[in-house]
Amino acid sequence: MMGTAAVGVVVAVIATTQGGASAASAGFSYTGVSPSPCGRALVSQSGDDTKVPLDITNDTAEPIGLAWRDFTGKRSQFRTIAAGDSVETSLTYRKHVWEVTDKAGKCLRLFVINTTATSASIVLN
């Protein structure tokens, strides 16, 4: 009698962020915004006059950049946020696009303020 053996391979991928992780490998948590990959040609849209306070927190070990994408999609550098710091801006509206960059200016992620948002927050961790 011939026997058969079952052979299986299990692969597990575990993603963690250590305290010294760079902003380039940072994860995001967010509310009131929709994330989008950097390669998309997103532009801010007008039409809704509802101001939305936006809080950005940088819980990484490196500084990050925050830029607003104008109505043509051009990046307008807003500010640099130091490691461990946070900033609040009330200069945004629903359907506006914000870009988070690493310290070299490379896009990490785009965020669009949701059409129903009354506040928004983005945390890099």
Side-chain angles (χ1 to χ4, degrees):
M1 179 168 196
M2 210 165 152
T4 60
V7 178
V9 177
V10 177
V11 177
V13 177
I14 301 172
T16 60
T17 302
Q18 301 297 326
S22 71
S25 64
F28 293 94
S29 57
Y30 45 85
T31 59
V33 297
S34 296
S36 186
C38 290
R40 302 220 24 223
L42 296 177
V43 300
S44 289
Q45 297 177 22
S46 61
D48 189 336
D49 293 336
T50 304
K51 281 190 176 184
V52 178
L54 173 62
D55 294 312
I56 310 286
T57 302
N58 180 8
D59 281 341
T60 70
E62 295 183 22
I64 60 165
L66 178 63
W68 178 68
R69 289 261 183 113
D70 70 14
F71 302 108
T72 65
K74 181 180 174 189
R75 179 196 288 180
S76 175
Q77 189 65 34
F78 180 71
R79 70 181 327 151
T80 298
I81 303 171
D85 206 359
S86 63
V87 70
E88 179 184 346
T89 179
S90 58
L91 302 173
T92 196
Y93 297 87
R94 294 173 175 168
K95 299 196 267 182
H96 278 201
V97 178
W98 289 87
E99 181 176 347
V100 176
T101 68
D102 65 12
K103 65 182 178 181
K106 179 182 175 194
C107 180
L108 297 175
R109 186 74 49 102
L110 299 172
F111 292 93
V112 181
I113 306 295
N114 292 340
T115 59
T116 59
T118 55
S119 66
S121 70
I122 302 168
V123 178
L124 279 79
N125 44 32

